[in-house]
Protein backbone atom coordinates (compact mmCIF):
# COMPACT_ATOMS: atom_id res chain seq x y z
CA UNK A 1 0.00 0.00 0.00
CA UNK A 2 1.43 3.39 -0.92
CA UNK A 3 1.31 6.51 1.27
CA UNK A 4 -1.66 7.98 -0.58
CA UNK A 5 -3.66 4.80 0.05
CA UNK A 6 -2.65 4.78 3.74
CA UNK A 7 -3.85 8.36 4.20
CA UNK A 8 -7.27 7.71 2.68
CA UNK A 9 -7.98 4.25 4.04
CA UNK A 10 -10.30 3.66 6.99
CA UNK A 11 -8.20 3.45 10.17
CA UNK A 12 -8.13 0.10 11.94
CA UNK A 13 -9.69 -0.11 15.39
CA UNK A 14 -6.33 -1.05 16.88
CA UNK A 15 -4.73 2.14 15.59
CA UNK A 16 -1.12 2.38 14.54
CA UNK A 17 1.62 1.09 16.78
CA UNK A 18 4.71 3.26 16.71
CA UNK A 19 7.83 2.11 18.48
CA UNK A 20 10.83 3.63 16.76
CA UNK A 21 14.12 1.91 17.29
CA UNK A 22 16.76 3.82 19.24
CA UNK A 23 20.36 2.67 19.24
CA UNK A 24 21.78 3.02 22.74
CA UNK A 25 25.54 3.02 23.17
CA UNK A 26 27.72 3.54 26.23
CA UNK A 27 28.24 7.14 25.05
CA UNK A 28 24.56 7.93 24.39
CA UNK A 29 21.61 7.31 22.10
CA UNK A 30 21.28 7.54 18.34
CA UNK A 31 17.72 8.74 17.68
CA UNK A 32 15.26 7.33 15.14
CA UNK A 33 15.70 10.48 13.05
CA UNK A 34 19.46 9.97 12.92
CA UNK A 35 18.94 6.33 12.02
CA UNK A 36 16.62 7.46 9.20
CA UNK A 37 19.39 9.83 8.06
CA UNK A 38 21.82 6.93 8.05
CA UNK A 39 19.48 4.90 5.85
CA UNK A 40 18.95 7.87 3.53
CA UNK A 41 22.70 8.38 3.15
CA UNK A 42 22.96 4.75 2.08
CA UNK A 43 20.18 5.27 -0.47
CA UNK A 44 21.28 8.69 -1.79
CA UNK A 45 25.08 8.58 -1.55
CA UNK A 46 24.96 12.20 -0.42
CA UNK A 47 24.57 13.88 2.96
CA UNK A 48 22.78 16.89 1.46
CA UNK A 49 20.27 14.72 -0.45
CA UNK A 50 19.75 12.54 2.63
CA UNK A 51 19.16 15.66 4.75
CA UNK A 52 16.45 16.82 2.33
CA UNK A 53 14.86 13.37 2.34
CA UNK A 54 14.74 13.24 6.17
CA UNK A 55 13.73 16.89 6.53
CA UNK A 56 16.72 18.38 8.34
CA UNK A 57 19.25 21.03 7.40
CA UNK A 58 22.57 20.23 5.78
CA UNK A 59 24.41 21.45 8.89
CA UNK A 60 22.23 19.33 11.18
CA UNK A 61 22.93 16.33 8.96
CA UNK A 62 26.71 16.85 9.17
CA UNK A 63 26.46 17.27 12.94
CA UNK A 64 24.39 14.07 13.13
CA UNK A 65 26.91 12.14 11.03
CA UNK A 66 29.73 13.29 13.31
CA UNK A 67 27.72 12.34 16.39
CA UNK A 68 26.77 8.91 15.00
CA UNK A 69 30.36 8.14 14.01
CA UNK A 70 31.50 9.10 17.52
CA UNK A 71 28.69 7.40 19.43
CA UNK A 72 28.94 4.13 17.53
CA UNK A 73 32.60 3.76 18.35
CA UNK A 74 33.40 3.19 14.69
CA UNK A 75 32.72 5.14 11.51
CA UNK A 76 29.27 4.49 10.07
CA UNK A 77 29.54 7.07 7.29
CA UNK A 78 32.51 7.92 5.12
CA UNK A 79 32.08 11.39 3.63
CA UNK A 80 34.02 13.66 1.32
CA UNK A 81 33.32 17.38 1.37
CA UNK A 82 32.17 18.96 -1.87
CA UNK A 83 34.39 20.95 -4.10
CA UNK A 84 35.29 21.02 -7.75
CA UNK A 85 34.51 17.34 -8.26
CA UNK A 86 31.64 17.36 -5.77
CA UNK A 87 31.39 15.49 -2.53
CA UNK A 88 29.76 12.28 -1.61
CA UNK A 89 29.02 9.97 1.25
CA UNK A 90 28.70 6.27 1.69
CA UNK A 91 28.01 3.91 4.51
CA UNK A 92 30.96 1.96 5.82
CA UNK A 93 30.58 -1.80 6.20
CA UNK A 94 29.54 -1.20 9.84
CA UNK A 95 26.98 1.39 8.70
CA UNK A 96 25.59 -0.98 6.07
CA UNK A 97 25.31 -3.77 8.65
CA UNK A 98 23.49 -1.46 11.05
CA UNK A 99 20.97 -0.50 8.35
CA UNK A 100 20.41 -4.19 7.50
CA UNK A 101 19.87 -4.96 11.19
CA UNK A 102 17.41 -2.07 11.54
CA UNK A 103 15.38 -3.37 8.60
CA UNK A 104 15.33 -6.85 10.14
CA UNK A 105 14.21 -5.41 13.50
CA UNK A 106 11.40 -3.47 11.80
CA UNK A 107 10.23 -6.64 10.05
CA UNK A 108 10.23 -8.49 13.37
CA UNK A 109 8.37 -5.61 15.03
CA UNK A 110 5.74 -5.64 12.30
CA UNK A 111 5.30 -9.42 12.59
CA UNK A 112 4.92 -9.08 16.36
CA UNK A 113 2.30 -6.32 16.08
CA UNK A 114 0.33 -8.35 13.54
CA UNK A 115 0.41 -11.46 15.72
CA UNK A 116 -0.68 -9.63 18.88
CA UNK A 117 -3.51 -7.63 17.37
CA UNK A 118 -5.20 -10.23 15.16
CA UNK A 119 -8.23 -10.50 17.48
CA UNK A 120 -10.11 -13.01 15.32
CA UNK A 121 -10.62 -16.70 15.99
CA UNK A 122 -9.88 -16.33 19.69
CA UNK A 123 -6.38 -14.95 19.32
CA UNK A 124 -5.13 -12.30 21.75
CA UNK A 125 -6.81 -8.93 21.20
CA UNK A 126 -5.74 -5.62 22.69
CA UNK A 127 -9.08 -3.92 22.00
CA UNK A 128 -10.17 -3.35 25.64
CA UNK A 129 -6.68 -2.39 26.73
CA UNK A 130 -6.33 0.06 23.85
CA UNK A 131 -9.65 1.68 24.73
CA UNK A 132 -8.46 2.02 28.35
CA UNK A 133 -5.12 3.47 27.25
CA UNK A 134 -6.95 6.03 25.13
CA UNK A 135 -9.02 7.06 28.17
CA UNK A 136 -5.90 7.31 30.35
CA UNK A 137 -4.18 9.61 27.86
CA UNK A 138 -7.16 11.90 27.21
CA UNK A 139 -6.30 15.54 27.76
CA UNK A 140 -9.13 17.85 28.63
CA UNK A 141 -9.60 21.59 28.36
CA UNK A 142 -12.47 24.04 28.16
CA UNK A 143 -12.49 23.45 24.38
CA UNK A 144 -13.07 19.68 24.59
CA UNK A 145 -16.41 18.33 23.46
CA UNK A 146 -17.07 15.03 25.20
CA UNK A 147 -19.99 12.78 24.36
CA UNK A 148 -21.73 11.45 27.46
CA UNK A 149 -24.74 11.45 29.75
CA UNK A 150 -25.19 13.73 32.73
CA UNK A 151 -25.40 11.68 35.94
CA UNK A 152 -25.51 14.43 38.52
CA UNK A 153 -24.62 17.92 39.67
CA UNK A 154 -23.18 18.85 43.07
CA UNK A 155 -23.77 22.49 44.01
CA UNK A 156 -21.21 24.29 46.12
CA UNK A 157 -20.84 27.78 47.54
CA UNK A 158 -18.93 29.19 44.56
CA UNK A 159 -19.13 26.55 41.87
CA UNK A 160 -21.02 23.48 40.76
CA UNK A 161 -19.45 20.17 39.72
CA UNK A 162 -21.10 18.19 36.98
CA UNK A 163 -20.66 14.44 36.61
CA UNK A 164 -20.80 12.96 33.12
CA UNK A 165 -20.73 9.29 32.16
CA UNK A 166 -18.71 9.12 28.96
CA UNK A 167 -19.87 6.89 26.13
CA UNK A 168 -18.53 3.37 26.12
CA UNK A 169 -19.42 -0.29 26.09
CA UNK A 170 -21.39 0.00 29.39
CA UNK A 171 -24.05 2.34 27.99
Amino acid sequence: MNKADQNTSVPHERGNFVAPWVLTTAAGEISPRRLALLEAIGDCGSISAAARQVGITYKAAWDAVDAMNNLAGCPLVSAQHGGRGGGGAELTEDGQQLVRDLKQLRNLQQAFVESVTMGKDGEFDLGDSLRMLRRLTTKTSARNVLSGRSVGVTHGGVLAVGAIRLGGAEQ
Side-chain angles (χ1 to χ4, degrees):
M1 179 182 296
N2 65 35
K3 278 191 172 182
D5 292 334
Q6 289 174 344
N7 292 338
T8 59
S9 66
V10 177
H12 297 285
E13 174 61 27
R14 69 177 164 87
N16 294 315
F17 286 89
V18 179
W21 295 104
V22 176
L23 177 62
T24 303
T25 70
E29 291 184 350
I30 299 177
S31 71
R33 187 171 216 169
R34 286 184 176 175
L35 294 173
L37 176 66
L38 190 67
E39 288 181 285
I41 291 169
D43 293 341
C44 300
S46 160
I47 292 177
S48 61
R52 282 190 299 275
Q53 184 175 321
V54 174
I56 61 175
T57 67
Y58 179 69
K59 168 125 176 47
W62 267 104
D63 290 345
V65 166
D66 286 338
M68 286 188 289
N69 282 340
N70 290 326
L71 288 170
C74 61
L76 301 175
V77 176
S78 173
Q80 296 175 1
H81 291 278
R84 187 172 180 203
E90 63 183 14
L91 299 180
T92 64
E93 184 55 43
D94 289 323
Q96 292 172 19
Q97 185 61 50
L98 180 58
V99 167
R100 285 191 296 270
D101 291 345
L102 283 169
K103 288 178 182 176
Q104 184 176 3
L105 286 170
R106 285 187 187 119
N107 290 338
L108 289 170
Q109 179 185 25
Q110 184 62 36
F112 169 74
V113 167
E114 288 171 4
S115 72
V116 169
T117 60
M118 292 282 232
K120 297 193 192 280
D121 303 319
E123 291 190 29
F124 189 68
D125 183 1
L126 295 176
D128 290 337
S129 293
L130 289 176
R131 281 186 283 284
M132 184 185 310
L133 288 170
R134 283 188 199 111
R135 286 192 304 267
L136 293 175
T137 59
T138 299
K139 294 181 182 178
T140 60
S141 76
R143 292 186 192 113
N144 285 127
V145 176
L146 303 173
S147 176
R149 183 170 48 98
S150 175
V151 293
V153 177
T154 304
H155 296 278
V158 177
L159 57 98
V161 176
I164 300 172
R165 181 177 308 262
L166 299 178
E170 313 78 55
Q171 283 195 359

